[in-house]
Amino acid sequence: MTVTGGVLQAVPALPTAADTAVRLLARGDDEPPVTLPRDPAREAARRELSKQMYHENDPSWLQRALETFWDWVDKLLGAASTATPGGALGLVVIVVAALAVVAALWWRLGTPRRRPVTAPALFDDRPRSAAEHRAAAEAHAAQGHWNQAVQERMRAVVRALEERALLDPRPGRTADEAADEAGRALPAHTDRLRTAARDFDDVTYGGRTAGADTYRRLAALDGDLERAKPALSVIGGTDPDAPQGAAG
């Protein structure tokens, strides 16, 4: 409004940009603007946005899965670091220490392998002399077949003790049983006999691989046992646990 001669006169307000746009849309080409109800408009927008051209740069399902996984790991580590003394640094120290312990155990014990509940018999159904087992062991060793060489040399050790009547011939005897029984007759060699039985079990039933050192150690034991004399208690027959047929 303006004051002219003391009389208030009304002045029309200037049109706004919005009003101008509405008037232009209303009279463009002498046609009214096109309007759509809300639900059909939403459906039309959904169909438009579902076209492949809008999703060419979207991450693949594998990328989304990995992102979800790493988000979960990040949240897990974040929760663990808040509960660990020293925060994130303390968590890193604990993880490194745990990995070091696992690596040390793995190196010391080797790959975990299942062992049979009951160990099979040491010998097969073909009886052979100690000399025959030694010859077979040497043949395998010459070809670098250390597993078979260890097996045959352990059989030679036990068969030689049976031939000397320090062990009674018993079908179905295991390497561990032979080592325990022979250790009572030859107590000075008990530990080496048990080690030899363990090496035999490892390569025969445990899936491990023997080497030249294992075979040489067993061959040395075989030679020492040939020259060893049984304990006096076994010779006198005073050992209640001595096997029947011990040397007298």
Short mmCIF file of all heavy atoms in Angstrom, two decimals, residues 158 161-162 164-170 173 177-187 230-231 233-248:
data_model
loop_
_atom_site.label_atom_id
_atom_site.label_comp_id
_atom_site.label_asym_id
_atom_site.label_seq_id
_atom_site.Cartn_x
_atom_site.Cartn_y
_atom_site.Cartn_z
N VAL A 158 62.38 -107.08 15.86
CA VAL A 158 61.51 -107.93 16.67
C VAL A 158 61.73 -109.40 16.33
O VAL A 158 61.78 -110.26 17.22
CB VAL A 158 60.03 -107.52 16.47
CG1 VAL A 158 59.10 -108.46 17.23
CG2 VAL A 158 59.83 -106.08 16.90
N LEU A 161 64.81 -110.74 18.04
CA LEU A 161 64.59 -111.00 19.47
C LEU A 161 63.80 -112.29 19.67
O LEU A 161 64.03 -113.02 20.65
CB LEU A 161 63.86 -109.81 20.10
CG LEU A 161 64.65 -108.49 20.16
CD1 LEU A 161 63.76 -107.37 20.65
CD2 LEU A 161 65.88 -108.63 21.03
N GLU A 162 62.88 -112.57 18.76
CA GLU A 162 62.14 -113.84 18.85
C GLU A 162 63.08 -115.02 18.56
O GLU A 162 63.00 -116.06 19.22
CB GLU A 162 60.97 -113.83 17.87
CG GLU A 162 59.86 -112.86 18.24
CD GLU A 162 58.75 -112.83 17.21
OE1 GLU A 162 58.90 -113.43 16.13
OE2 GLU A 162 57.69 -112.21 17.50
N ARG A 164 66.16 -115.18 19.19
CA ARG A 164 67.05 -115.37 20.35
C ARG A 164 66.27 -115.79 21.59
O ARG A 164 66.85 -115.90 22.66
CB ARG A 164 67.80 -114.07 20.64
CG ARG A 164 68.77 -113.66 19.56
CD ARG A 164 69.39 -112.31 19.87
NE ARG A 164 70.09 -112.31 21.17
CZ ARG A 164 70.52 -111.22 21.78
NH1 ARG A 164 70.31 -110.02 21.20
NH2 ARG A 164 71.15 -111.29 22.93
N ALA A 165 64.98 -115.99 21.46
CA ALA A 165 64.11 -116.39 22.57
C ALA A 165 64.00 -115.32 23.64
O ALA A 165 63.61 -115.61 24.78
CB ALA A 165 64.59 -117.71 23.19
N LEU A 166 64.30 -114.07 23.30
CA LEU A 166 64.06 -112.96 24.22
C LEU A 166 62.62 -112.48 24.13
O LEU A 166 62.15 -111.77 25.03
CB LEU A 166 65.03 -111.82 23.92
CG LEU A 166 66.52 -112.14 24.16
CD1 LEU A 166 67.38 -110.95 23.79
CD2 LEU A 166 66.76 -112.57 25.61
N LEU A 167 61.97 -112.82 23.08
CA LEU A 167 60.52 -112.60 22.92
C LEU A 167 59.92 -113.91 22.45
O LEU A 167 60.51 -114.61 21.62
CB LEU A 167 60.23 -111.50 21.88
CG LEU A 167 60.55 -110.05 22.26
CD1 LEU A 167 60.23 -109.13 21.08
CD2 LEU A 167 59.80 -109.61 23.50
N ASP A 168 58.75 -114.21 22.98
CA ASP A 168 58.06 -115.41 22.50
C ASP A 168 57.33 -115.07 21.21
O ASP A 168 56.69 -114.02 21.13
CB ASP A 168 57.08 -115.92 23.55
CG ASP A 168 56.02 -114.90 23.88
OD1 ASP A 168 56.39 -113.73 24.12
OD2 ASP A 168 54.83 -115.25 23.90
N PRO A 169 57.42 -115.90 20.19
CA PRO A 169 56.67 -115.63 18.95
C PRO A 169 55.18 -115.59 19.25
O PRO A 169 54.61 -116.56 19.74
CB PRO A 169 57.04 -116.81 18.05
CG PRO A 169 58.32 -117.33 18.61
CD PRO A 169 58.24 -117.11 20.09
N ARG A 170 54.56 -114.47 18.96
CA ARG A 170 53.14 -114.33 19.26
C ARG A 170 52.46 -113.59 18.12
O ARG A 170 52.75 -112.42 17.86
CB ARG A 170 52.94 -113.57 20.57
CG ARG A 170 51.48 -113.33 20.93
CD ARG A 170 51.33 -113.01 22.41
NE ARG A 170 52.14 -111.91 22.84
CZ ARG A 170 51.77 -110.62 22.73
NH1 ARG A 170 50.63 -110.31 22.16
NH2 ARG A 170 52.56 -109.67 23.18
N ARG A 173 51.10 -109.41 17.64
CA ARG A 173 51.83 -108.46 18.50
C ARG A 173 52.03 -107.14 17.74
O ARG A 173 52.34 -107.12 16.56
CB ARG A 173 53.17 -109.04 18.90
CG ARG A 173 54.02 -108.05 19.71
CD ARG A 173 55.43 -108.57 19.94
NE ARG A 173 55.45 -109.54 21.04
CZ ARG A 173 55.88 -110.78 20.93
NH1 ARG A 173 56.30 -111.23 19.74
NH2 ARG A 173 55.90 -111.59 21.96
N GLU A 177 53.83 -103.18 21.82
CA GLU A 177 53.89 -104.33 22.72
C GLU A 177 55.26 -104.99 22.66
O GLU A 177 55.84 -105.37 23.70
CB GLU A 177 52.80 -105.33 22.37
CG GLU A 177 51.39 -104.82 22.64
CD GLU A 177 50.32 -105.74 22.07
OE1 GLU A 177 50.67 -106.61 21.25
OE2 GLU A 177 49.14 -105.57 22.46
N ALA A 178 55.82 -105.12 21.46
CA ALA A 178 57.14 -105.72 21.31
C ALA A 178 58.19 -104.88 22.02
O ALA A 178 59.10 -105.41 22.67
CB ALA A 178 57.48 -105.89 19.84
N ALA A 179 58.09 -103.56 21.90
CA ALA A 179 59.07 -102.68 22.55
C ALA A 179 58.99 -102.80 24.07
O ALA A 179 60.01 -102.85 24.75
CB ALA A 179 58.84 -101.25 22.11
N ASP A 180 57.76 -102.83 24.62
CA ASP A 180 57.61 -102.96 26.06
C ASP A 180 58.15 -104.30 26.56
O ASP A 180 58.86 -104.36 27.58
CB ASP A 180 56.14 -102.82 26.45
CG ASP A 180 55.63 -101.40 26.26
OD1 ASP A 180 56.47 -100.47 26.23
OD2 ASP A 180 54.40 -101.21 26.15
N GLU A 181 57.84 -105.38 25.86
CA GLU A 181 58.31 -106.70 26.30
C GLU A 181 59.83 -106.82 26.15
O GLU A 181 60.51 -107.36 27.03
CB GLU A 181 57.61 -107.79 25.49
CG GLU A 181 56.11 -107.85 25.73
CD GLU A 181 55.39 -108.79 24.79
OE1 GLU A 181 56.09 -109.61 24.14
OE2 GLU A 181 54.16 -108.73 24.69
N ALA A 182 60.37 -106.31 25.05
CA ALA A 182 61.82 -106.38 24.86
C ALA A 182 62.55 -105.48 25.85
O ALA A 182 63.67 -105.80 26.27
CB ALA A 182 62.17 -105.96 23.43
N GLY A 183 61.92 -104.40 26.27
CA GLY A 183 62.54 -103.52 27.25
C GLY A 183 62.72 -104.18 28.60
O GLY A 183 63.64 -103.84 29.34
N ARG A 184 61.86 -105.14 28.93
CA ARG A 184 62.04 -105.86 30.19
C ARG A 184 63.22 -106.81 30.11
O ARG A 184 63.91 -107.05 31.11
CB ARG A 184 60.76 -106.61 30.53
CG ARG A 184 59.61 -105.70 30.93
CD ARG A 184 58.49 -106.49 31.59
NE ARG A 184 57.75 -107.32 30.62
CZ ARG A 184 56.68 -106.92 29.98
NH1 ARG A 184 56.21 -105.68 30.16
NH2 ARG A 184 56.05 -107.72 29.14
N ALA A 185 63.47 -107.37 28.92
CA ALA A 185 64.62 -108.26 28.76
C ALA A 185 65.92 -107.48 28.56
O ALA A 185 66.99 -107.94 28.98
CB ALA A 185 64.39 -109.19 27.58
N LEU A 186 65.82 -106.29 27.94
CA LEU A 186 66.99 -105.47 27.66
C LEU A 186 66.73 -104.04 28.16
O LEU A 186 66.49 -103.13 27.37
CB LEU A 186 67.28 -105.47 26.16
CG LEU A 186 67.54 -106.83 25.51
CD1 LEU A 186 67.46 -106.73 24.00
CD2 LEU A 186 68.89 -107.38 25.95
N PRO A 187 66.72 -103.85 29.47
CA PRO A 187 66.30 -102.55 30.02
C PRO A 187 67.19 -101.39 29.58
O PRO A 187 66.72 -100.25 29.55
CB PRO A 187 66.38 -102.78 31.53
CG PRO A 187 67.29 -103.95 31.71
CD PRO A 187 67.08 -104.82 30.51
N PRO A 230 70.80 -110.07 27.71
CA PRO A 230 69.61 -109.81 28.51
C PRO A 230 69.96 -109.60 29.98
O PRO A 230 71.04 -109.98 30.44
CB PRO A 230 68.76 -111.07 28.30
CG PRO A 230 69.75 -112.13 27.96
CD PRO A 230 70.83 -111.44 27.18
N ALA A 231 69.04 -108.98 30.69
CA ALA A 231 69.24 -108.72 32.12
C ALA A 231 69.35 -110.03 32.87
O ALA A 231 68.76 -111.05 32.51
CB ALA A 231 68.07 -107.89 32.66
N SER A 233 68.13 -110.85 35.70
CA SER A 233 66.86 -111.30 36.27
C SER A 233 66.07 -112.11 35.25
O SER A 233 65.38 -113.07 35.58
CB SER A 233 66.03 -110.11 36.74
OG SER A 233 65.77 -109.23 35.66
N VAL A 234 66.20 -111.76 33.98
CA VAL A 234 65.51 -112.51 32.95
C VAL A 234 66.18 -113.86 32.74
O VAL A 234 65.53 -114.89 32.58
CB VAL A 234 65.49 -111.71 31.63
CG1 VAL A 234 64.88 -112.54 30.52
CG2 VAL A 234 64.72 -110.41 31.81
N ILE A 235 67.52 -113.87 32.78
CA ILE A 235 68.23 -115.13 32.60
C ILE A 235 67.93 -116.08 33.75
O ILE A 235 67.71 -117.27 33.57
CB ILE A 235 69.75 -114.87 32.52
CG1 ILE A 235 70.08 -114.06 31.26
CG2 ILE A 235 70.53 -116.17 32.50
CD1 ILE A 235 71.53 -113.69 31.13
N GLY A 236 67.88 -115.56 34.99
CA GLY A 236 67.58 -116.42 36.12
C GLY A 236 66.15 -116.78 36.28
O GLY A 236 65.79 -117.60 37.14
N GLY A 237 65.29 -116.13 35.46
CA GLY A 237 63.85 -116.44 35.50
C GLY A 237 63.14 -115.85 36.71
O GLY A 237 62.09 -116.33 37.10
N THR A 238 63.72 -114.80 37.32
CA THR A 238 63.10 -114.20 38.49
C THR A 238 62.16 -113.07 38.14
O THR A 238 61.47 -112.53 38.99
CB THR A 238 64.18 -113.66 39.43
OG1 THR A 238 64.97 -112.69 38.73
CG2 THR A 238 65.07 -114.80 39.92
N ASP A 239 62.16 -112.64 36.90
CA ASP A 239 61.27 -111.55 36.49
C ASP A 239 59.90 -112.12 36.21
O ASP A 239 59.71 -112.88 35.26
CB ASP A 239 61.83 -110.89 35.23
CG ASP A 239 61.04 -109.66 34.84
OD1 ASP A 239 60.01 -109.41 35.47
OD2 ASP A 239 61.47 -108.96 33.89
N PRO A 240 58.88 -111.75 37.02
CA PRO A 240 57.55 -112.32 36.81
C PRO A 240 56.92 -111.90 35.51
O PRO A 240 56.00 -112.55 35.02
CB PRO A 240 56.75 -111.79 38.03
CG PRO A 240 57.45 -110.52 38.42
CD PRO A 240 58.90 -110.79 38.14
N ASP A 241 57.38 -110.78 34.92
CA ASP A 241 56.77 -110.32 33.68
C ASP A 241 57.55 -110.77 32.46
O ASP A 241 57.23 -110.39 31.34
CB ASP A 241 56.73 -108.77 33.66
CG ASP A 241 55.80 -108.25 34.73
OD1 ASP A 241 54.81 -108.92 35.01
OD2 ASP A 241 56.08 -107.15 35.27
N ALA A 242 58.59 -111.59 32.64
CA ALA A 242 59.38 -112.03 31.49
C ALA A 242 58.57 -112.92 30.60
O ALA A 242 57.77 -113.74 31.07
CB ALA A 242 60.63 -112.76 31.98
N PRO A 243 58.70 -112.81 29.28
CA PRO A 243 57.94 -113.65 28.37
C PRO A 243 58.38 -115.11 28.45
O PRO A 243 59.53 -115.41 28.79
CB PRO A 243 58.25 -113.05 26.99
CG PRO A 243 59.56 -112.37 27.17
CD PRO A 243 59.58 -111.87 28.58
N GLN A 244 57.50 -115.98 28.17
CA GLN A 244 57.82 -117.40 28.16
C GLN A 244 58.85 -117.67 27.08
O GLN A 244 58.82 -117.10 26.00
CB GLN A 244 56.55 -118.22 27.88
CG GLN A 244 55.49 -118.07 28.97
CD GLN A 244 55.96 -118.61 30.30
OE1 GLN A 244 56.66 -119.61 30.34
NE2 GLN A 244 55.59 -117.95 31.39
N GLY A 245 59.78 -118.59 27.35
CA GLY A 245 60.79 -118.96 26.37
C GLY A 245 61.98 -118.05 26.37
O GLY A 245 62.77 -118.07 25.43
N ALA A 246 62.16 -117.21 27.45
CA ALA A 246 63.33 -116.33 27.50
C ALA A 246 64.58 -117.16 27.62
O ALA A 246 64.58 -118.28 28.12
CB ALA A 246 63.21 -115.38 28.69
N ALA A 247 65.69 -116.55 27.16
CA ALA A 247 66.95 -117.29 27.16
C ALA A 247 67.34 -117.65 28.57
O ALA A 247 67.23 -116.85 29.49
CB ALA A 247 68.05 -116.46 26.49
N GLY A 248 67.88 -118.88 28.78
CA GLY A 248 68.26 -119.30 30.10
C GLY A 248 69.67 -119.84 30.11
O GLY A 248 70.29 -120.02 29.10
#
